[in-house]
Amino acid sequence: MKRSYIISSALLATNLLGIFDVRAQHDHVKKDDRPNILFIIADDASFPHFSANGSVWVKTPGFDRVASEGILFRNCYTPNAKSAPSRSSILTGLYSWQSGAAANHSPVFPSDLMVFTEVIARNGYEIAFTGKGWGPGDEGNVDGKPRLLTGKPFQKNKLKPPTNVISNNDYLENFRDFLNQQNETQPWFFWFGCFEPHRSYKLGSGEKLGGKSTAMIDSVPAYWPDNELVRTDMLDYAFEIEYFDRQVELYVDELEKRGLLNNTVVIVTSDNGMPFPRSKGNNYEISNHMPLAVMWKNGIVNPGRTVDDYINFVDFAPTILELTRSDYRKFNMHEPAGKSLLNIFNSKKGGLIEKDRDHVVLGRERHDNGRPGNQSYPIRAIIKDDLLYIYNMKPHLWPAGNPETGYLDADGSPTKTSILQMDRDGDNIWYYNMSFNLRPEEELYDLSVDKDCINNLASHPVYIKRKQNLRKQLLKTLRKQQDPRMFGDGDVFDAYPTSKQSNWNFYERIMNGDIKEPWEQTKWVSPSDYEMKR
C-alpha cells in the first residue's frame, strides 16, 4: 500500500477562498484584545553573529533590545538550513519530511498543505508582509488568484540602499503603509522578511562603509583559511547583518511611537546559517543554530531572561495559533509537530524550563538541482546533551552538489573561490575536503568543545554508546513522524518538481552540452566554481 506523505484536506480550497482579501467579518463593538504579532526574519544569518549572543565584531542593538526587554533563546534551531524549507517549517509547524514537496528548496508549495497564517486570517487577523515572504518557490493559486502564504504584500516604497546589492525595499515605509490602513479594532500579523544578509555583497563594504577592520574578527571558523580575503568577506556579511538590525530598531521604534508596542509580540530570528561554505545548506552548528529573541511587554513574565531550552522552528506555528486563540482543527490544518512557547513566556525562570525540550531533530532534502537525477543530499540529525549526530543517508553523493554544477548548494563567494583555488593549486586540500568533498555516513561532534564541528567522533570508542543511543532516538522519532526515508520511499523528494523548470535535469544538460554557460543561469555561483574535471 502506497503511503501518503502530504497532508490532504478536501475542504482546503473552500477554506482558502478570499482568506487574505477579507478583513474581519465580525462586528466588534470593542477592540479585540488578542496581541498583534510582528515576525522579523533575516535571510542567512547565523546565531553567533549578534552581540546579545556574544559577537564582538557584529553589533546588533535592535536585536539586543528585543532580547533584553523580552527573552533571549540560546538554543533555537531551524530543522532545515535553506530558505524555502526553513520558512515552510515555520508556516506549517511540520518538519521537512512531513510536508511533501515543501521539504525542498524552490518547490511548488503543496496545495493541500495549510499554513498558520491562513488559519489566523480566518480567525480575524489581518495578514501582510514586506520584503521576502515564503520562498523561493511557487505558492500556487486559489480560486484563480495567487495564494499568499504570508499575506498581502506591501512592497511599493523604495529607497537608495547603502550598496547596489542591498535591497532597495524601504522596509520601514512599507510597514508604515500597512499600519496606516489598519482597523484599530482588528489584530494583525505582519511578516517582515529582510533580504539581508543574503548574498551578493559589495566587496569591502564592511570596511569602507561599516567602519570595521579585519583585525576586529576574534575568530575565523577553523574550516576556512584565515586570510584577508576571507576576513573581508566576513566583514561584508557583518555589514549586512547590521543593516538588517537597523531595520529591527526602526520597526520597534515605530511601534513604540504609535503606542502599539506593549501588545505586540515581536519575534526576531533568521531562516538559516550564513551564506558561506559548510554553513548554509548543511547540518552543522553554524548551519542550523539560529538567533531568536522575543518581546511582548503585555505578556512575557519577568523579561530580560535567557532561556536554554531547545527550540525548533516547528514551535512557531503552535505558539502563534495559541497566541491568536486559533484552533487549527477548525480549518483542516495538520496538527503542528512542535510545541507552543507560551509556557516559557509565562514562566519566571531562566535557563532550562521545560524538561522535555532536551533535543532537536534536523535534516534536509533537495536544495539546489546540482546532482544527477535531481537528487537531494538527504540528511537527518539530532542534537542532545551537546552532541550533534548526523546521518548522511547517501554518502556517495557530493554534499554541496556536483563539481560539474559548481557545487550549487554553496553560494558563490570570495571564501568559496579561495578554498577551491587552494585545492586546485595543491596549496591546501583540507579546506576543500571540509566543505565540498564526500562525507562519511555518520558524523558526531561534541559541541561543548567543538562548535566548528571539525573532530568527527563517530568511530571514537569513548562515544560509541552515546552515538548508538542518539541514532536510535533519531530513527524512532522519524518513524513516528512518518518520514518516507524510514519506509523506503525517500526518493519521492527527488521526484517533486521545482518551481524553476529551467533548473530541472541541470546536471544532465550541462554534461550533454545543452547548457554552455551554466553560471549565467544559476547566477548565485561564480563561473570559476564549475569544475568539469576532478
Side-chain angles (χ1 to χ4, degrees), residues 348-419:
K348 295 181 179 179
K349 294 171 55 180
L352 294 172
I353 298 175
E354 297 187 313
K355 291 183 180 180
D356 60 342
R357 292 186 181 274
D358 63 349
H359 71 283
V360 284
V361 179
L362 319 171
R364 61 158 286 180
E365 282 298 331
R366 187 175 68 219
H367 285 173
D368 294 301
N369 291 55
R371 299 178 191 85
N374 304 296
Q375 292 181 86
S376 67
Y377 187 80
I379 301 174
R380 301 293 184 267
I382 185 171
I383 299 178
K384 185 177 182 178
D385 297 329
D386 275 330
L387 288 180
L388 166 60
Y389 170 74
I390 299 173
Y391 175 22
N392 296 314
M393 294 180 163
K394 292 189 176 182
H396 61 283
L397 297 178
W398 293 89
N402 273 54
E404 299 90 345
T405 62
Y407 307 97
L408 209 55
D409 280 348
D411 292 2
S413 68
T415 300
K416 179 181 179 181
T417 298
S418 178
I419 291 171

Side-chain angles (χ1 to χ4, degrees), residues 29-311:
V29 175
K30 59 182 181 180
K31 181 178 174 63
D32 192 324
D33 67 351
R34 293 177 296 174
N36 304 312
I37 301 170
L38 173 60
F39 192 89
I40 302 176
I41 184 166
D43 199 353
D44 298 358
S46 290
F47 171 87
H49 307 131
F50 291 77
S51 42
N53 293 334
S55 178
V56 298
W57 54 279
V58 189
K59 300 300 181 183
T60 53
F63 179 86
D64 299 354
R65 178 187 175 183
V66 175
S68 65
E69 297 181 23
I71 299 175
L72 177 66
F73 291 87
R74 298 282 296 173
N75 285 304
C76 175
Y77 288 78
T78 174
N80 192 324
K82 196 79 165 184
S83 193
S86 178
R87 292 164 192 249
S88 293
S89 288
I90 292 171
L91 290 164
T92 63
L94 301 175
Y95 291 98
S96 294
W97 45 90
Q98 296 178 302
S99 51
N104 291 341
H105 189 61
S106 196
V108 177
F109 197 87
S111 61
D112 51 1
L113 194 59
M114 202 170 191
V115 298
F116 78 75
T117 47
E118 295 168 331
V119 171
I120 68 175
R122 296 284 292 187
N123 196 33
Y125 269 73
E126 180 82 357
I127 315 295
F129 81 101
T130 193
K132 181 176 179 178
W134 173 85
D138 181 355
E139 295 173 274
N141 295 281
V142 175
D143 195 31
K145 297 180 181 179
R147 187 178 179 189
L148 303 173
L149 296 178
T150 50
K152 180 180 178 180
F154 282 76
Q155 309 278 36
K156 74 174 185 179
N157 295 297
K158 307 297 180 184
L159 51 64
K160 183 177 180 180
T163 75
N164 62 356
V165 290
I166 287 178
S167 172
N168 67 352
N169 185 311
D170 192 333
Y171 300 121
L172 179 61
E173 284 303 316
N174 287 320
F175 184 44
R176 285 172 173 162
D177 278 358
F178 168 73
L179 293 175
N180 289 339
Q181 67 136 51
Q182 280 310 106
N183 179 343
E184 291 184 1
T185 65
Q186 182 183 13
W188 49 261
F189 173 94
F190 192 85
W191 173 296
F192 165 34
C194 192
F195 287 108
E196 290 72 43
H198 194 288
R199 292 189 184 272
S200 297
Y201 304 147
K202 182 73 171 179
L203 186 63
S205 56
E207 292 177 289
K208 295 173 184 175
L209 301 177
K212 298 181 181 297
S213 70
T214 55
M216 295 172 64
I217 299 175
D218 57 335
S219 177
V220 173
Y223 39 81
W224 304 331
D226 187 352
N227 57 40
E228 285 298 298
L229 183 62
V230 171
R231 284 176 172 259
T232 298
D233 201 14
M234 293 172 69
L235 290 185
D236 297 344
Y237 158 77
F239 178 69
E240 293 210 5
I241 289 183
E242 292 181 356
Y243 183 80
F244 158 74
D245 187 74
R246 178 57 183 153
Q247 313 310 310
V248 176
E249 287 188 286
L250 293 171
Y251 267 58
V252 173
D253 287 348
E254 187 67 24
L255 291 174
E256 195 165 38
K257 290 174 186 175
R258 292 174 181 251
L260 297 173
L261 184 58
N262 287 353
N263 201 36
T264 299
V265 181
V266 181
I267 301 170
V268 186
T269 189
S270 175
D271 58 354
N272 50 252
M274 61 195 303
F276 284 70
R278 201 176 164 89
S279 179
K280 176 182 176 181
N282 289 270
N283 260 232
Y284 298 114
E285 172 73 1
I286 196 69
S287 317
N288 293 71
H289 195 177
M290 293 293 98
L292 177 61
V294 181
M295 173 200 291
W296 180 22
K297 291 184 173 293
N298 281 0
I300 287 178
V301 176
N302 191 23
R305 291 179 283 141
T306 296
V307 170
D308 295 325
D309 296 48
Y310 282 110
I311 308 299

Side-chain angles (χ1 to χ4, degrees), residues 407 416-433 436-437 531 533-534:
Y407 307 97
K416 179 181 179 181
T417 298
S418 178
I419 291 171
L420 291 177
Q421 195 57 51
M422 290 174 75
D423 173 64
R424 292 169 192 147
D425 293 343
D427 184 17
N428 189 311
I429 65 171
W430 186 81
Y431 296 115
Y432 173 88
N433 290 338
F436 302 109
N437 215 341
E531 297 184 333
K533 294 182 180 180
R534 274 209 67 81

